[in-house]
Amino acid sequence: MIYFLFFLGFILLIKGADLLVDGAVAIANKFKVSPIIIGLTIVAFGTSLPELIVNIFASIEGNTDLAIGNIVGSNIANILLILGISAMIYPLAVQKQTTYNEIPFSLLAALVLGILANDVLLDSNAGASIDILSRSNGLLLLCFFIIFMYYVVSLSKKSATHDIPEEVQVQMNSYKAVIYVVLGMVGLTVGGNWIVDGAVFMATQFGISQALVGLTVVAIGTSLPELATSAVAAYKKNTDIAIGNVVGSNIFNIFWILGISSVIKPLPFNAALNQDIFISIIASFLLFIFLFIGKKQLLERWQGLMFTLMYIAYIVYLVNRG
């Protein structure tokens, strides 16, 4: 039965992504809001639901390696795998505000996580004996999230008269658009959970560690909504949705989901995950740098291929690391 649900999850995932993209763009059309705003908020939140659900249960049950590994692994997959594949489908034009504001904010999120998680390294003279994301750390992460949401709201007001490009317009009434978004989120969440449950079940048959499962199987599984959504968006040439979804999800993952998770229950931090946090920082930095190489503010197909190959190399490294 679990194998059937595993494969059925993929069907729900793809259809959910299709509904979510159409509904989100229709809402952007209706209210004349830039698609990048919708991507950074509605779509990013919807595709981050699987990470949120997994992390809440992982926090309650004390599976801290799974909770943190899931977020760090998902953020790496979002940039290297998802943007890589999306850019290969269709080159992703990135708005100036995203290049200079949202992507650096995503990089800041990874840096803040690295700082907060390393109590022993940074505060050993103050008597810190264990690395932990405490409740106070969680509240600080949530404060960053509030700042980000304030920025997005301010941005939406400035773009209230934004003209939606004809190629990304989706015409439907408001009620239908909302139903599409809700059904899309449900499909993404249920499909993502079934895929994760099935993948974890199969992975545990081979005795894989919790940290490795969190960074690979669970991270990729919970990132499948982002992959499906951004790939569909790229195919439909909705590049703002594709980019906003990934960047927004990375910010949501650290500031919102890890913030909530550590407030629910403090999360002891495995120092071995520092290597993965460093890779997530490098991935975010490369995304920023790539937008100034070749055609400016455009993630080209060859760059998408490089990202994808980097992710494959990262997975090989993780397997060898155990």
Side-chain angles (χ1 to χ4, degrees):
M1 183 64 179
I2 196 165
Y3 294 103
F4 171 74
L5 293 178
F6 177 74
F7 290 108
L8 181 60
F10 281 102
I11 298 174
L12 283 175
L13 200 71
I14 300 301
K15 187 57 181 176
D18 191 39
L19 291 173
L20 183 58
V21 169
D22 283 348
V25 174
I27 291 173
N29 295 168
K30 179 69 175 179
F31 295 99
K32 296 184 178 180
V33 175
S34 169
I36 189 66
I37 304 299
I38 302 298
L40 285 167
T41 54
I42 296 174
V43 179
F45 178 76
T47 56
S48 291
L49 282 175
E51 283 94 340
L52 178 61
I53 294 167
V54 167
N55 268 48
I56 287 176
F57 283 105
S59 297
I60 293 172
E61 296 171 6
N63 298 321
T64 57
D65 281 354
L66 181 61
I68 299 175
N70 172 36
I71 294 302
V72 176
S74 292
N75 280 17
I76 294 170
N78 282 350
I79 294 177
L80 297 184
L81 178 64
I82 295 170
L83 280 186
I85 290 175
S86 299
M88 286 192 291
I89 293 173
Y90 187 80
L92 303 177
V94 182
Q95 291 189 24
K96 187 176 181 179
Q97 71 187 30
T98 302
T99 302
Y100 290 101
N101 296 336
E102 287 108 43
I103 291 175
F105 204 88
S106 175
L107 174 59
L108 174 66
L111 290 169
V112 168
L113 175 59
I115 292 170
L116 294 181
N118 284 280
D119 301 294
V120 174
L121 179 64
L122 299 175
D123 293 324
S124 57
N125 292 333
S129 58
I130 61 170
D131 292 321
I132 189 169
L133 282 176
S134 64
R135 284 193 173 92
S136 60
N137 291 155
L139 291 173
L140 181 60
L141 292 174
L142 292 176
C143 287
F144 274 105
F145 179 71
I146 292 171
I147 292 171
F148 173 68
M149 291 309 298
Y150 176 80
Y151 159 76
V152 171
V153 170
S154 300
L155 194 63
S156 67
K157 292 178 180 178
K158 293 179 182 178
S159 64
T161 58
H162 184 88
D163 293 327
I164 308 297
E166 184 178 348
E167 66 270 16
V168 302
Q169 291 186 13
V170 176
Q171 301 298 334
M172 65 178 75
N173 64 55
S174 300
Y175 295 108
K176 186 177 180 180
V178 171
I179 290 172
Y180 267 43
V181 169
V182 172
L183 289 178
M185 287 183 178
V186 171
L188 288 168
T189 303
V190 175
N193 281 331
W194 283 351
I195 290 169
V196 170
D197 289 343
V200 170
F201 174 79
M202 288 183 279
T204 52
Q205 302 304 303
F206 299 95
I208 299 175
S209 69
Q210 185 185 112
L212 182 57
V213 170
L215 286 164
T216 55
V217 178
V218 177
I220 294 174
T222 55
S223 291
L224 285 174
E226 284 94 338
L227 173 58
T229 302
S230 286
V232 169
Y235 178 75
K236 294 183 176 183
K237 300 181 182 179
N238 299 333
T239 58
D240 281 344
I241 294 289
I243 288 284
N245 169 43
V246 166
V247 175
S249 290
N250 278 14
I251 295 169
F252 271 59
N253 283 349
I254 292 178
F255 289 147
W256 170 244
I257 296 177
L258 270 186
I260 289 290
S261 301
S262 51
V263 166
I264 291 173
K265 188 174 183 179
L267 303 175
F269 178 73
N270 183 349
L273 289 171
N274 275 326
Q275 299 172 46
D276 306 289
I277 291 177
F278 178 72
I279 291 172
S280 72
I281 292 171
I282 293 299
S284 297
F285 182 71
L286 281 177
L287 174 59
F288 181 76
I289 293 299
F290 273 9
L291 297 179
F292 297 93
I293 298 175
K295 295 181 180 178
K296 288 187 177 181
Q297 293 177 224
L298 183 71
L299 196 63
E300 300 180 67
R301 284 192 170 93
W302 69 268
Q303 293 169 322
L305 177 61
M306 284 190 64
F307 270 165
T308 306
L309 292 176
M310 287 178 192
Y311 188 73
I312 293 172
Y314 170 65
I315 292 298
V316 171
Y317 161 74
L318 283 180
V319 171
N320 289 332
R321 189 179 77 181

